[in-house]
Amino acid sequence: MQKDQPGAIMEFGSDLQNQVLEQAQRLWDIALSWLVSPAAWSQFALLVVAYLLALVVAGKLRAPLTRLLTPPEDLDSPLAKTRRFVLIFVPLLLPLMAYAFTGIGESVTRSLFGSGAVIAFGKRVFLFLAVRILVREIIADPMMKLLGRYILIPVAALYALGLLEPAMAKLDETIVPLGNLSFSLLFALRFIVVGGAIFWLGRWSNDQSAQFLKKQDDMRPAMRELTAKAIEIGIFGVAFLLVMNIMGINLTSLAVLGGAIGVGLGFGLQKIASNFISGLILLLEGQATVGDYVELDGGEAGTIVKMGARAAILETFDGRWIVVPNEDFITTRVVNFSDSGSANRYEAPFSVSYDTDINTVPDIIEAAVAKHPRVLSEPFPPDCELRGFGDSGVDFAVEFWIEGIDDGANKFSSDVLFLIWNALKEHNIEIPYPRRVVELSGSIETRQA
């Protein structure tokens, strides 16, 4: 009869504890035998000599290696990146040199005495120290550091003590049932380590590909985003298949389960699927991409700074980020101020007094606005139009075209209004202000005290 999962784990813990105690007693007996063995003492001496030699050699090599592997700060070539990558492994120089010299000493002692257990133990200890330095000082990725701290270091410690093979055998014997499926604890640990390493490598490869594509200025932004997404899907798809293949999982056995999950996802995650497909359509059509300034029907407006699988992120001019589902770009009206070029038309309204010769105003204002360095003459030059006769003055507006958006760092309307004000003042044209005429009917009586 198959044991339940908690019972199997408790039995595994008890058996492992007994196994550790037995191995500890065996190691203690071995240590006592080493104390009275001349061959063991000679191996201890060789171990110390190997460590001291590694200490001297590593000390001599560390400084020149660091200088050789350190590129100039402003250099960003592939060779410079490779040198920086190799540089981070310099702290491993001492334990690896000690491991190499100890290996040479082990071959010598085995040839002379026919035994090298002590020096072999020292070699495994140096390897454990190298693994410990790798996890604590070199690995920076949080996920890989977590795997190294709780899996790689314990495995290295068990290997140093000679307990790795018994522990692996016990893990392989311990079967954990999960419904109709069952797996050993060793399989679970291997799956975690192999899967974590492969998906970390996939994420690193995806980041490198994304950085490379960002530098390709000849590609349209939409094509860069689409290529990056295709590479990301391809990398993680291959990573999944590799994990399944390495772990010996038959993909055909997952077909039925995948079909059931697909039906459930189809009903429960319709919005996510819709947003994902909408994102692909946006990338294919290129109607809105990273860097475009857009305004949606719902009032959201900003520059697209990122387009993800589910949503796009708009950055407003006041620094806020708005997360907009990709579906909104397909199903609602979107105004793209950056599509088909970045030239946009704006207007600046103003009024002049009724005493002004309004026939001279358009030429004066158009000439003044055209002096602005960012105002375009194509597709149309500045155009001053009469808009109406107001209560206090004659209403005009000047239309002008500029490259970019009239907001944020660029305040074109403000600059144009300054030009209009100075031009009107220069030609003694009065800008009116509201005036009211009050008529009183009847006589005003004064009251005397």
Side-chain angles (χ1 to χ4, degrees), residues 237-303:
V238 171
F240 175 76
L241 294 177
L242 280 176
V243 172
M244 295 297 104
N245 187 36
I246 291 174
M247 301 312 298
I249 299 176
N250 189 2
L251 294 178
T252 58
S253 63
L254 300 178
V256 177
L257 179 62
I261 293 176
V263 173
L265 291 178
F267 286 104
L269 301 178
Q270 293 182 17
K271 280 292 183 182
I272 294 179
S274 174
N275 287 319
F276 177 76
I277 296 174
S278 298
L280 293 179
I281 294 174
L282 286 173
L283 293 174
L284 286 171
E285 293 184 348
Q287 294 180 355
T289 186
V290 174
D292 289 354
Y293 184 88
V294 297
E295 182 177 340
L296 278 71
D297 248 358
E300 301 90 349
T303 303

Side-chain angles (χ1 to χ4, degrees), residues 209-221:
S209 302
Q211 292 178 8
F212 174 77
L213 289 173
K214 286 180 180 179
K215 298 177 182 178
Q216 306 306 309
D217 297 331
D218 296 337
M219 298 177 65
R220 293 178 62 249

Side-chain angles (χ1 to χ4, degrees), residues 2-309:
Q2 208 172 27
K3 300 174 183 177
D4 59 351
Q5 183 176 353
I9 295 177
M10 290 178 62
E11 182 180 351
F12 165 74
S14 177
D15 292 343
L16 182 61
Q17 182 179 4
N18 295 332
Q19 188 78 16
V20 169
L21 291 176
E22 292 177 3
Q23 292 293 332
Q25 183 63 41
R26 185 178 66 84
L27 292 175
W28 175 254
D29 295 337
I30 293 174
L32 291 177
S33 66
W34 284 352
L35 291 176
V36 295
S37 172
W41 281 105
S42 63
Q43 293 179 49
F44 275 123
L46 283 175
L47 196 60
V48 173
V49 171
Y51 176 75
L52 293 177
L53 183 60
L55 193 63
V56 172
V57 174
K60 295 289 186 180
L61 293 179
R62 185 183 297 271
L65 273 178
T66 302
R67 289 194 300 269
L68 178 65
L69 296 173
T70 304
E73 294 183 0
D74 55 345
L75 194 61
D76 199 27
S77 64
L79 180 59
K81 292 180 179 179
T82 304
R83 291 167 62 185
R84 291 190 183 98
F85 177 74
V86 177
L87 180 63
I88 65 176
F89 294 97
V90 170
L92 293 176
L93 188 61
L94 175 59
L96 292 181
M97 293 294 293
Y99 179 83
F101 291 147
T102 306
I104 298 173
E106 181 185 6
S107 63
V108 172
T109 56
R110 290 191 184 277
S111 63
L112 293 177
F113 302 103
S115 174
V118 176
I119 202 167
F121 171 74
K123 186 175 69 171
R124 295 196 300 268
V125 170
F126 288 136
L127 184 61
F128 167 75
L129 294 176
V131 171
R132 187 170 177 269
I133 292 173
L134 176 69
V135 172
R136 292 195 172 189
E137 300 182 16
I138 297 177
I139 295 178
D141 185 79
M143 185 186 73
M144 296 303 295
K145 186 177 283 291
L146 185 68
L147 290 176
R149 183 178 301 168
Y150 293 105
I151 295 181
L152 189 58
I153 289 181
V155 167
L158 290 173
Y159 175 72
L161 296 174
L163 301 176
L164 182 59
E165 290 186 5
M168 291 181 64
K170 195 62 184 177
L171 288 171
D172 196 28
E173 294 173 359
T174 305
I175 304 300
V176 179
L178 186 64
N180 294 328
L181 302 175
S182 61
F183 56 88
S184 67
L185 289 179
L186 181 61
F187 176 85
L189 290 177
R190 283 179 176 172
F191 185 83
I192 292 172
V193 173
V194 173
I198 290 179
F199 278 98
W200 174 83
L201 183 62
R203 189 179 66 178
W204 179 82
S205 303
N206 181 62
D207 293 341
Q208 298 301 314
S209 302
Q211 292 178 8
F212 174 77
L213 289 173
K214 286 180 180 179
K215 298 177 182 178
Q216 306 306 309
D217 297 331
D218 296 337
M219 298 177 65
R220 293 178 62 249
M223 184 57 64
R224 287 202 299 265
E225 290 293 324
L226 180 61
T227 306
K229 292 300 177 186
I231 292 176
E232 181 178 1
I233 293 172
I235 287 175
F236 285 104
V238 171
F240 175 76
L241 294 177
L242 280 176
V243 172
M244 295 297 104
N245 187 36
I246 291 174
M247 301 312 298
I249 299 176
N250 189 2
L251 294 178
T252 58
S253 63
L254 300 178
V256 177
L257 179 62
I261 293 176
V263 173
L265 291 178
F267 286 104
L269 301 178
Q270 293 182 17
K271 280 292 183 182
I272 294 179
S274 174
N275 287 319
F276 177 76
I277 296 174
S278 298
L280 293 179
I281 294 174
L282 286 173
L283 293 174
L284 286 171
E285 293 184 348
Q287 294 180 355
T289 186
V290 174
D292 289 354
Y293 184 88
V294 297
E295 182 177 340
L296 278 71
D297 248 358
E300 301 90 349
T303 303
I304 302 177
V305 295
K306 182 179 180 182
M307 295 193 71

Side-chain angles (χ1 to χ4, degrees), residues 343-371:
N344 296 289
R345 191 192 71 174
Y346 296 93
E347 66 176 38
F350 64 96
S351 299
V352 298
S353 172
Y354 276 104
D355 298 331
T356 305
D357 182 4
I358 61 175
N359 296 296
T360 62
V361 171
D363 293 336
I364 294 173
I365 298 303
E366 289 172 1
V369 174
K371 295 178 181 178

Side-chain angles (χ1 to χ4, degrees), residues 412-430:
F412 300 110
S413 293
S414 175
D415 297 340
V416 169
L417 288 174
F418 271 108
L419 293 173
I420 293 173
W421 171 274
N422 294 329
L424 294 178
K425 288 297 182 181
E426 182 180 350
H427 291 83
N428 297 319
I429 297 176
E430 180 184 355

